[in-house]
Amino acid sequence: MLEKTLRRALERGGQRYTEQRGAVYEFLMSTDSHPTADEVFLAVRGRIPGISLATVYKSLETLVGCGLAMKLTYGDSSARYDARTDLHHHVRCLSCGKVCDVPGSLPEREVQRLREGADGFEVTGYRMELLGYCTSCRS
Ligand code: ZN
Ligand code: MN
């Protein structure tokens, strides 16, 4: 089921299905922890012996390129990946880097106001990120 969906989406993006890409996508779909490439590597290497960090990284980029995942970047720290591609927002811990989904969205009226103030840009979307300190970093 998951494999079929993945195969089709990869082919639409001009890419082939591989066992490595399958394992990376399956893991990403199974978690809401917004893992880094290193974390994905640690999770899948037990299942796909011999897989390298470089292959995991390339698989993640392929998934992003085919619209199957989102890449969340933060200046100098490692990018995080999210298999959830619908419009949703995040809260990020400034101390440990933990990222969680938050429910809710801005009212359309507010989005429109931001759009109008965007200096002539053609706005195609928006992301909202709440910043702070997670429960373990606070204690
Ligand atoms: Zn934290
Ligand atoms: Mn998310």
Side-chain angles (χ1 to χ4, degrees):
M1 167 67 177
L2 198 66
E3 184 182 319
K4 228 170 162 180
T5 311
L6 175 59
R7 248 176 221 284
R8 262 204 299 267
L10 284 169
E11 279 160 18
R12 260 201 312 274
Q15 300 285 346
R16 271 180 322 109
Y17 174 88
T18 64
E19 195 189 0
Q20 286 91 338
R21 288 169 180 173
V24 166
Y25 186 60
E26 199 175 299
F27 172 67
L28 209 56
M29 286 291 282
S30 75
T31 180
D32 59 2
S33 70
H34 307 85
T36 62
D38 288 283
E39 289 163 352
V40 176
F41 173 61
L42 292 177
V44 301
R45 71 171 175 187
R47 274 193 40 210
I48 312 278
I51 195 168
S52 68
L53 176 59
T55 300
V56 167
Y57 184 77
K58 279 185 266 175
S59 299
L60 287 164
E61 292 300 311
T62 300
L63 295 175
V64 172
C66 293
L68 291 157
M70 287 199 310
K71 183 180 188 175
L72 311 170
T73 51
Y74 308 103
D76 287 346
S77 20
S78 303
R80 292 175 171 275
Y81 295 87
D82 193 350
R84 194 176 153 189
T85 55
D86 64 306
L87 177 67
H88 70 284
H89 305 291
H90 296 113
V91 60
R92 177 164 61 94
C93 179
L94 292 167
S95 175
C96 70
K98 178 184 168 117
V99 173
C100 300
D101 292 339
V102 288
S105 60
L106 291 175
E108 190 47 49
R109 179 169 36 85
E110 292 301 327
V111 177
Q112 188 55 36
R113 214 153 68 171
L114 291 167
R115 195 191 296 270
E116 281 160 12
D119 196 26
F121 271 61
E122 184 198 356
V123 175
T124 59
Y126 74 98
R127 282 185 193 169
M128 183 166 56
E129 186 177 70
L130 308 181
L131 302 171
Y133 298 93
C134 75
T135 45
S136 19
C137 290
R138 280 170 59 204
S139 57

